[in-house]
Amino acid sequence: MIFSSDNWAGASEPVLAALLAAGRSGARPAYGTDDATRRLEARISELFEREVAVLTVATGTAANALSIAALAPPWGAVVAHEEAHLAVDECGAPEFFAGTRTIRLPGARGKLGAADLARRLEEIPRGLHHGELSVLSLTSPNEYGLVYRPAETAALCEVARAHRLAVHLDGARFANAIARLGCTPAEATWKAGVDLMSFGGTKGGCLMAEAIVAFDPARRDTIAYLRKRAGQLVSKHRLITAQFDAWLDGGHWLALATHANAMADALAETIAASPRARLAWAPEANEVFVFMDEATAERLRAAGARFYDWSVAALAPEDRPRDGEKLWRFVTSFATTSEEIADLARALA
């Protein structure tokens, strides 16, 4: 019963087969100059319905940090939710690679609202002594498993544009968001005003594959130099490409995300039916948030379940745990099985 993170899962069989085939295909040009890597950019351009620049990297931290570095000057400031991965869990990587500072804003359940963002941007001091507001970074799905609808993203991007901020999207679980929303990748990103995104494959069924997608191809050279300087220009780049190719082929990426989301829905139903736990809110991707006491959590762990406790800093008063409860996060993946959900139900019972 592994619900700690989708990072714990391995890779799908088509991805593994493609990686093995690429490794056996003989000598190929290095550092991303092979034909397959060139074709990947065209393929992702087709997916997003416009010409884009695509530069693959090995980690989500690198994708986020280099994206910020491509959008902001070293004296810039990045605005993000106070619980955003970029602000909390990147060990200062955006600040290290970009030289920027991060301004953390509150928002219920990890989401920023357009009206509140506009008000807060007006309150942030400007000028030489404070740095230049440069980037708004959004996360979808966010740290509380919720997604931005295209209209919400568009409203936030409009506010950002009015204050001369570029917009970055952390899409580590972008596949899960698209599978839930049912919209196109274009509608969730550049058509709503996003300038550049981190497109994550690792959590969704790849072994180690992330992409920086710039909706203005003119940013390609800047990102390429940043990637090399950061040590993220992998010599055998075709092995990252092979993962993306298999993952995207025939809508496999969305099928995997749809399964993970369905498992989250089934898990949420299990929680909702239990007298020993409460569902915090309905899942919108593949993360399920649960209120329960420590004794119940220990009982589940003793039965073999793995999951994490979670911060309540971004919860409104009406969302907060009751006396004796804590907030816990359960994450499903492409590899989660119905048997695992049934086992958890039995442990709860």
PDB file of all heavy atoms in Angstrom, residues 314-343:
ATOM      1  N   ALA A 314      -1.868  26.381   4.780  1.00  0.00           N
ATOM      2  CA  ALA A 314      -2.645  27.050   3.738  1.00  0.00           C
ATOM      3  C   ALA A 314      -4.138  26.741   3.818  1.00  0.00           C
ATOM      4  O   ALA A 314      -4.865  26.992   2.860  1.00  0.00           O
ATOM      5  CB  ALA A 314      -2.105  26.662   2.363  1.00  0.00           C
ATOM      6  N   LEU A 315      -4.585  26.222   4.934  1.00  0.00           N
ATOM      7  CA  LEU A 315      -5.996  25.882   5.059  1.00  0.00           C
ATOM      8  C   LEU A 315      -6.778  27.010   5.730  1.00  0.00           C
ATOM      9  O   LEU A 315      -6.312  27.623   6.696  1.00  0.00           O
ATOM     10  CB  LEU A 315      -6.170  24.595   5.867  1.00  0.00           C
ATOM     11  CG  LEU A 315      -5.527  23.338   5.286  1.00  0.00           C
ATOM     12  CD1 LEU A 315      -5.974  22.114   6.073  1.00  0.00           C
ATOM     13  CD2 LEU A 315      -5.836  23.165   3.811  1.00  0.00           C
ATOM     14  N   ALA A 316      -7.967  27.249   5.225  1.00  0.00           N
ATOM     15  CA  ALA A 316      -8.870  28.202   5.867  1.00  0.00           C
ATOM     16  C   ALA A 316      -9.353  27.610   7.188  1.00  0.00           C
ATOM     17  O   ALA A 316      -9.292  26.395   7.391  1.00  0.00           O
ATOM     18  CB  ALA A 316     -10.053  28.479   4.941  1.00  0.00           C
ATOM     19  N   PRO A 317      -9.813  28.455   8.122  1.00  0.00           N
ATOM     20  CA  PRO A 317     -10.254  27.942   9.426  1.00  0.00           C
ATOM     21  C   PRO A 317     -11.262  26.801   9.323  1.00  0.00           C
ATOM     22  O   PRO A 317     -11.188  25.823  10.068  1.00  0.00           O
ATOM     23  CB  PRO A 317     -10.868  29.181  10.084  1.00  0.00           C
ATOM     24  CG  PRO A 317     -10.125  30.336   9.478  1.00  0.00           C
ATOM     25  CD  PRO A 317      -9.865  29.929   8.064  1.00  0.00           C
ATOM     26  N   GLU A 318     -12.183  26.890   8.356  1.00  0.00           N
ATOM     27  CA  GLU A 318     -13.199  25.838   8.239  1.00  0.00           C
ATOM     28  C   GLU A 318     -12.629  24.538   7.666  1.00  0.00           C
ATOM     29  O   GLU A 318     -13.268  23.485   7.729  1.00  0.00           O
ATOM     30  CB  GLU A 318     -14.369  26.310   7.365  1.00  0.00           C
ATOM     31  CG  GLU A 318     -14.003  26.681   5.943  1.00  0.00           C
ATOM     32  CD  GLU A 318     -13.594  28.142   5.774  1.00  0.00           C
ATOM     33  OE1 GLU A 318     -13.225  28.781   6.785  1.00  0.00           O
ATOM     34  OE2 GLU A 318     -13.655  28.626   4.633  1.00  0.00           O
ATOM     35  N   ASP A 319     -11.431  24.618   7.084  1.00  0.00           N
ATOM     36  CA  ASP A 319     -10.787  23.429   6.523  1.00  0.00           C
ATOM     37  C   ASP A 319      -9.886  22.700   7.512  1.00  0.00           C
ATOM     38  O   ASP A 319      -9.429  21.592   7.237  1.00  0.00           O
ATOM     39  CB  ASP A 319      -9.907  23.820   5.327  1.00  0.00           C
ATOM     40  CG  ASP A 319     -10.708  24.023   4.051  1.00  0.00           C
ATOM     41  OD1 ASP A 319     -11.827  23.492   3.976  1.00  0.00           O
ATOM     42  OD2 ASP A 319     -10.219  24.709   3.145  1.00  0.00           O
ATOM     43  N   ARG A 320      -9.591  23.319   8.614  1.00  0.00           N
ATOM     44  CA  ARG A 320      -8.560  22.789   9.501  1.00  0.00           C
ATOM     45  C   ARG A 320      -9.021  21.541  10.255  1.00  0.00           C
ATOM     46  O   ARG A 320     -10.220  21.307  10.427  1.00  0.00           O
ATOM     47  CB  ARG A 320      -8.110  23.874  10.484  1.00  0.00           C
ATOM     48  CG  ARG A 320      -7.313  24.972   9.803  1.00  0.00           C
ATOM     49  CD  ARG A 320      -6.831  26.030  10.765  1.00  0.00           C
ATOM     50  NE  ARG A 320      -5.980  26.976  10.062  1.00  0.00           N
ATOM     51  CZ  ARG A 320      -4.668  26.849   9.944  1.00  0.00           C
ATOM     52  NH1 ARG A 320      -4.053  25.823  10.504  1.00  0.00           N
ATOM     53  NH2 ARG A 320      -3.955  27.746   9.291  1.00  0.00           N
ATOM     54  N   PRO A 321      -8.061  20.724  10.688  1.00  0.00           N
ATOM     55  CA  PRO A 321      -8.424  19.496  11.406  1.00  0.00           C
ATOM     56  C   PRO A 321      -9.111  19.788  12.730  1.00  0.00           C
ATOM     57  O   PRO A 321      -8.883  20.828  13.362  1.00  0.00           O
ATOM     58  CB  PRO A 321      -7.078  18.795  11.613  1.00  0.00           C
ATOM     59  CG  PRO A 321      -6.049  19.862  11.466  1.00  0.00           C
ATOM     60  CD  PRO A 321      -6.604  20.858  10.507  1.00  0.00           C
ATOM     61  N   ARG A 322      -9.943  18.860  13.144  1.00  0.00           N
ATOM     62  CA  ARG A 322     -10.585  18.967  14.455  1.00  0.00           C
ATOM     63  C   ARG A 322      -9.598  18.532  15.534  1.00  0.00           C
ATOM     64  O   ARG A 322      -8.510  18.033  15.244  1.00  0.00           O
ATOM     65  CB  ARG A 322     -11.820  18.077  14.480  1.00  0.00           C
ATOM     66  CG  ARG A 322     -12.886  18.455  13.451  1.00  0.00           C
ATOM     67  CD  ARG A 322     -13.933  17.371  13.313  1.00  0.00           C
ATOM     68  NE  ARG A 322     -14.882  17.676  12.251  1.00  0.00           N
ATOM     69  CZ  ARG A 322     -15.709  16.780  11.716  1.00  0.00           C
ATOM     70  NH1 ARG A 322     -15.691  15.512  12.158  1.00  0.00           N
ATOM     71  NH2 ARG A 322     -16.532  17.124  10.752  1.00  0.00           N
ATOM     72  N   ASP A 323      -9.994  18.720  16.771  1.00  0.00           N
ATOM     73  CA  ASP A 323      -9.127  18.328  17.888  1.00  0.00           C
ATOM     74  C   ASP A 323      -8.742  16.852  17.762  1.00  0.00           C
ATOM     75  O   ASP A 323      -9.597  15.985  17.563  1.00  0.00           O
ATOM     76  CB  ASP A 323      -9.847  18.556  19.218  1.00  0.00           C
ATOM     77  CG  ASP A 323      -9.969  20.036  19.567  1.00  0.00           C
ATOM     78  OD1 ASP A 323      -9.273  20.843  18.923  1.00  0.00           O
ATOM     79  OD2 ASP A 323     -10.766  20.373  20.462  1.00  0.00           O
ATOM     80  N   GLY A 324      -7.453  16.593  17.879  1.00  0.00           N
ATOM     81  CA  GLY A 324      -6.953  15.229  17.815  1.00  0.00           C
ATOM     82  C   GLY A 324      -6.642  14.734  16.421  1.00  0.00           C
ATOM     83  O   GLY A 324      -6.042  13.671  16.251  1.00  0.00           O
ATOM     84  N   GLU A 325      -7.036  15.488  15.395  1.00  0.00           N
ATOM     85  CA  GLU A 325      -6.784  15.082  14.018  1.00  0.00           C
ATOM     86  C   GLU A 325      -5.521  15.742  13.459  1.00  0.00           C
ATOM     87  O   GLU A 325      -5.085  16.777  13.932  1.00  0.00           O
ATOM     88  CB  GLU A 325      -7.956  15.470  13.110  1.00  0.00           C
ATOM     89  CG  GLU A 325      -9.238  14.727  13.350  1.00  0.00           C
ATOM     90  CD  GLU A 325     -10.324  15.194  12.394  1.00  0.00           C
ATOM     91  OE1 GLU A 325     -10.285  16.362  11.953  1.00  0.00           O
ATOM     92  OE2 GLU A 325     -11.229  14.387  12.103  1.00  0.00           O
ATOM     93  N   LYS A 326      -4.976  15.117  12.426  1.00  0.00           N
ATOM     94  CA  LYS A 326      -3.925  15.709  11.612  1.00  0.00           C
ATOM     95  C   LYS A 326      -4.310  15.553  10.149  1.00  0.00           C
ATOM     96  O   LYS A 326      -5.194  14.752   9.815  1.00  0.00           O
ATOM     97  CB  LYS A 326      -2.569  15.019  11.869  1.00  0.00           C
ATOM     98  CG  LYS A 326      -2.014  15.260  13.259  1.00  0.00           C
ATOM     99  CD  LYS A 326      -0.726  14.469  13.477  1.00  0.00           C
ATOM    100  CE  LYS A 326       0.401  14.936  12.575  1.00  0.00           C
ATOM    101  NZ  LYS A 326       1.683  14.236  12.885  1.00  0.00           N
ATOM    102  N   LEU A 327      -3.650  16.331   9.296  1.00  0.00           N
ATOM    103  CA  LEU A 327      -3.870  16.213   7.855  1.00  0.00           C
ATOM    104  C   LEU A 327      -2.809  15.281   7.267  1.00  0.00           C
ATOM    105  O   LEU A 327      -1.622  15.432   7.548  1.00  0.00           O
ATOM    106  CB  LEU A 327      -3.791  17.587   7.180  1.00  0.00           C
ATOM    107  CG  LEU A 327      -4.009  17.610   5.665  1.00  0.00           C
ATOM    108  CD1 LEU A 327      -5.430  17.163   5.310  1.00  0.00           C
ATOM    109  CD2 LEU A 327      -3.732  19.009   5.106  1.00  0.00           C
ATOM    110  N   TRP A 328      -3.264  14.335   6.430  1.00  0.00           N
ATOM    111  CA  TRP A 328      -2.377  13.354   5.821  1.00  0.00           C
ATOM    112  C   TRP A 328      -2.590  13.351   4.309  1.00  0.00           C
ATOM    113  O   TRP A 328      -3.709  13.526   3.838  1.00  0.00           O
ATOM    114  CB  TRP A 328      -2.641  11.951   6.372  1.00  0.00           C
ATOM    115  CG  TRP A 328      -2.654  11.892   7.871  1.00  0.00           C
ATOM    116  CD1 TRP A 328      -3.713  12.144   8.702  1.00  0.00           C
ATOM    117  CD2 TRP A 328      -1.550  11.585   8.726  1.00  0.00           C
ATOM    118  NE1 TRP A 328      -3.341  12.006  10.011  1.00  0.00           N
ATOM    119  CE2 TRP A 328      -2.015  11.646  10.063  1.00  0.00           C
ATOM    120  CE3 TRP A 328      -0.213  11.221   8.506  1.00  0.00           C
ATOM    121  CZ2 TRP A 328      -1.205  11.397  11.161  1.00  0.00           C
ATOM    122  CZ3 TRP A 328       0.598  10.962   9.594  1.00  0.00           C
ATOM    123  CH2 TRP A 328       0.109  11.049  10.906  1.00  0.00           C
ATOM    124  N   ARG A 329      -1.486  13.100   3.592  1.00  0.00           N
ATOM    125  CA  ARG A 329      -1.576  13.035   2.130  1.00  0.00           C
ATOM    126  C   ARG A 329      -1.330  11.608   1.640  1.00  0.00           C
ATOM    127  O   ARG A 329      -0.346  10.971   2.015  1.00  0.00           O
ATOM    128  CB  ARG A 329      -0.548  13.964   1.482  1.00  0.00           C
ATOM    129  CG  ARG A 329      -0.702  14.063  -0.034  1.00  0.00           C
ATOM    130  CD  ARG A 329       0.478  14.743  -0.697  1.00  0.00           C
ATOM    131  NE  ARG A 329       1.651  13.859  -0.742  1.00  0.00           N
ATOM    132  CZ  ARG A 329       2.726  14.067  -1.508  1.00  0.00           C
ATOM    133  NH1 ARG A 329       2.786  15.153  -2.267  1.00  0.00           N
ATOM    134  NH2 ARG A 329       3.750  13.235  -1.488  1.00  0.00           N
ATOM    135  N   PHE A 330      -2.229  11.137   0.770  1.00  0.00           N
ATOM    136  CA  PHE A 330      -2.089   9.853   0.089  1.00  0.00           C
ATOM    137  C   PHE A 330      -1.985  10.141  -1.411  1.00  0.00           C
ATOM    138  O   PHE A 330      -2.823  10.871  -1.955  1.00  0.00           O
ATOM    139  CB  PHE A 330      -3.305   8.967   0.344  1.00  0.00           C
ATOM    140  CG  PHE A 330      -3.453   8.479   1.760  1.00  0.00           C
ATOM    141  CD1 PHE A 330      -3.793   9.368   2.788  1.00  0.00           C
ATOM    142  CD2 PHE A 330      -3.277   7.144   2.076  1.00  0.00           C
ATOM    143  CE1 PHE A 330      -3.946   8.924   4.092  1.00  0.00           C
ATOM    144  CE2 PHE A 330      -3.426   6.689   3.384  1.00  0.00           C
ATOM    145  CZ  PHE A 330      -3.749   7.580   4.395  1.00  0.00           C
ATOM    146  N   VAL A 331      -1.001   9.575  -2.066  1.00  0.00           N
ATOM    147  CA  VAL A 331      -0.811   9.795  -3.503  1.00  0.00           C
ATOM    148  C   VAL A 331      -0.923   8.470  -4.246  1.00  0.00           C
ATOM    149  O   VAL A 331      -0.271   7.487  -3.888  1.00  0.00           O
ATOM    150  CB  VAL A 331       0.562  10.435  -3.805  1.00  0.00           C
ATOM    151  CG1 VAL A 331       0.677  10.768  -5.303  1.00  0.00           C
ATOM    152  CG2 VAL A 331       0.769  11.691  -2.978  1.00  0.00           C
ATOM    153  N   THR A 332      -1.753   8.453  -5.274  1.00  0.00           N
ATOM    154  CA  THR A 332      -1.849   7.286  -6.135  1.00  0.00           C
ATOM    155  C   THR A 332      -0.987   7.514  -7.373  1.00  0.00           C
ATOM    156  O   THR A 332      -0.572   8.633  -7.669  1.00  0.00           O
ATOM    157  CB  THR A 332      -3.302   7.027  -6.555  1.00  0.00           C
ATOM    158  OG1 THR A 332      -3.826   8.216  -7.177  1.00  0.00           O
ATOM    159  CG2 THR A 332      -4.151   6.678  -5.351  1.00  0.00           C
ATOM    160  N   SER A 333      -0.715   6.453  -8.115  1.00  0.00           N
ATOM    161  CA  SER A 333       0.133   6.552  -9.305  1.00  0.00           C
ATOM    162  C   SER A 333      -0.404   5.661 -10.402  1.00  0.00           C
ATOM    163  O   SER A 333      -1.402   4.939 -10.221  1.00  0.00           O
ATOM    164  CB  SER A 333       1.568   6.143  -8.972  1.00  0.00           C
ATOM    165  OG  SER A 333       1.684   4.728  -8.890  1.00  0.00           O
ATOM    166  N   PHE A 334       0.289   5.668 -11.537  1.00  0.00           N
ATOM    167  CA  PHE A 334      -0.083   4.788 -12.639  1.00  0.00           C
ATOM    168  C   PHE A 334       0.012   3.318 -12.234  1.00  0.00           C
ATOM    169  O   PHE A 334      -0.626   2.453 -12.855  1.00  0.00           O
ATOM    170  CB  PHE A 334       0.826   5.045 -13.849  1.00  0.00           C
ATOM    171  CG  PHE A 334       2.219   4.495 -13.690  1.00  0.00           C
ATOM    172  CD1 PHE A 334       2.521   3.222 -14.144  1.00  0.00           C
ATOM    173  CD2 PHE A 334       3.200   5.241 -13.053  1.00  0.00           C
ATOM    174  CE1 PHE A 334       3.793   2.698 -13.987  1.00  0.00           C
ATOM    175  CE2 PHE A 334       4.471   4.723 -12.888  1.00  0.00           C
ATOM    176  CZ  PHE A 334       4.769   3.444 -13.355  1.00  0.00           C
ATOM    177  N   ALA A 335       0.795   3.043 -11.186  1.00  0.00           N
ATOM    178  CA  ALA A 335       1.017   1.664 -10.760  1.00  0.00           C
ATOM    179  C   ALA A 335       0.118   1.232  -9.603  1.00  0.00           C
ATOM    180  O   ALA A 335       0.138   0.070  -9.196  1.00  0.00           O
ATOM    181  CB  ALA A 335       2.483   1.477 -10.370  1.00  0.00           C
ATOM    182  N   THR A 336      -0.672   2.140  -9.060  1.00  0.00           N
ATOM    183  CA  THR A 336      -1.561   1.794  -7.950  1.00  0.00           C
ATOM    184  C   THR A 336      -2.629   0.811  -8.425  1.00  0.00           C
ATOM    185  O   THR A 336      -3.176   0.950  -9.518  1.00  0.00           O
ATOM    186  CB  THR A 336      -2.240   3.055  -7.390  1.00  0.00           C
ATOM    187  OG1 THR A 336      -1.236   3.972  -6.947  1.00  0.00           O
ATOM    188  CG2 THR A 336      -3.146   2.716  -6.223  1.00  0.00           C
ATOM    189  N   THR A 337      -2.908  -0.176  -7.584  1.00  0.00           N
ATOM    190  CA  THR A 337      -3.883  -1.203  -7.955  1.00  0.00           C
ATOM    191  C   THR A 337      -5.141  -1.115  -7.098  1.00  0.00           C
ATOM    192  O   THR A 337      -5.127  -0.568  -5.983  1.00  0.00           O
ATOM    193  CB  THR A 337      -3.279  -2.610  -7.781  1.00  0.00           C
ATOM    194  OG1 THR A 337      -3.016  -2.827  -6.384  1.00  0.00           O
ATOM    195  CG2 THR A 337      -1.986  -2.753  -8.574  1.00  0.00           C
ATOM    196  N   SER A 338      -6.208  -1.691  -7.615  1.00  0.00           N
ATOM    197  CA  SER A 338      -7.455  -1.767  -6.851  1.00  0.00           C
ATOM    198  C   SER A 338      -7.267  -2.583  -5.582  1.00  0.00           C
ATOM    199  O   SER A 338      -7.919  -2.327  -4.558  1.00  0.00           O
ATOM    200  CB  SER A 338      -8.564  -2.387  -7.709  1.00  0.00           C
ATOM    201  OG  SER A 338      -8.829  -1.587  -8.836  1.00  0.00           O
ATOM    202  N   GLU A 339      -6.355  -3.568  -5.639  1.00  0.00           N
ATOM    203  CA  GLU A 339      -6.074  -4.385  -4.469  1.00  0.00           C
ATOM    204  C   GLU A 339      -5.505  -3.550  -3.334  1.00  0.00           C
ATOM    205  O   GLU A 339      -5.817  -3.788  -2.156  1.00  0.00           O
ATOM    206  CB  GLU A 339      -5.118  -5.519  -4.827  1.00  0.00           C
ATOM    207  CG  GLU A 339      -5.721  -6.628  -5.683  1.00  0.00           C
ATOM    208  CD  GLU A 339      -5.954  -6.207  -7.132  1.00  0.00           C
ATOM    209  OE1 GLU A 339      -5.297  -5.243  -7.573  1.00  0.00           O
ATOM    210  OE2 GLU A 339      -6.786  -6.839  -7.797  1.00  0.00           O
ATOM    211  N   GLU A 340      -4.665  -2.580  -3.673  1.00  0.00           N
ATOM    212  CA  GLU A 340      -4.105  -1.713  -2.635  1.00  0.00           C
ATOM    213  C   GLU A 340      -5.202  -0.887  -1.965  1.00  0.00           C
ATOM    214  O   GLU A 340      -5.173  -0.670  -0.752  1.00  0.00           O
ATOM    215  CB  GLU A 340      -3.041  -0.796  -3.236  1.00  0.00           C
ATOM    216  CG  GLU A 340      -1.747  -1.490  -3.594  1.00  0.00           C
ATOM    217  CD  GLU A 340      -0.737  -0.533  -4.183  1.00  0.00           C
ATOM    218  OE1 GLU A 340      -0.896  -0.174  -5.376  1.00  0.00           O
ATOM    219  OE2 GLU A 340       0.213  -0.126  -3.473  1.00  0.00           O
ATOM    220  N   ILE A 341      -6.151  -0.406  -2.762  1.00  0.00           N
ATOM    221  CA  ILE A 341      -7.273   0.353  -2.197  1.00  0.00           C
ATOM    222  C   ILE A 341      -8.094  -0.545  -1.288  1.00  0.00           C
ATOM    223  O   ILE A 341      -8.489  -0.145  -0.180  1.00  0.00           O
ATOM    224  CB  ILE A 341      -8.162   0.930  -3.327  1.00  0.00           C
ATOM    225  CG1 ILE A 341      -7.342   1.736  -4.325  1.00  0.00           C
ATOM    226  CG2 ILE A 341      -9.281   1.769  -2.712  1.00  0.00           C
ATOM    227  CD1 ILE A 341      -6.666   2.955  -3.783  1.00  0.00           C
ATOM    228  N   ALA A 342      -8.336  -1.769  -1.724  1.00  0.00           N
ATOM    229  CA  ALA A 342      -9.107  -2.716  -0.906  1.00  0.00           C
ATOM    230  C   ALA A 342      -8.370  -3.058   0.373  1.00  0.00           C
ATOM    231  O   ALA A 342      -8.986  -3.174   1.457  1.00  0.00           O
ATOM    232  CB  ALA A 342      -9.392  -3.984  -1.714  1.00  0.00           C
ATOM    233  N   ASP A 343      -7.056  -3.213   0.288  1.00  0.00           N
ATOM    234  CA  ASP A 343      -6.261  -3.502   1.496  1.00  0.00           C
ATOM    235  C   ASP A 343      -6.361  -2.351   2.491  1.00  0.00           C
ATOM    236  O   ASP A 343      -6.457  -2.570   3.717  1.00  0.00           O
ATOM    237  CB  ASP A 343      -4.803  -3.744   1.121  1.00  0.00           C
ATOM    238  CG  ASP A 343      -4.580  -5.083   0.435  1.00  0.00           C
ATOM    239  OD1 ASP A 343      -5.483  -5.937   0.520  1.00  0.00           O
ATOM    240  OD2 ASP A 343      -3.525  -5.259  -0.196  1.00  0.00           O
TER     241      ASP A 343
END
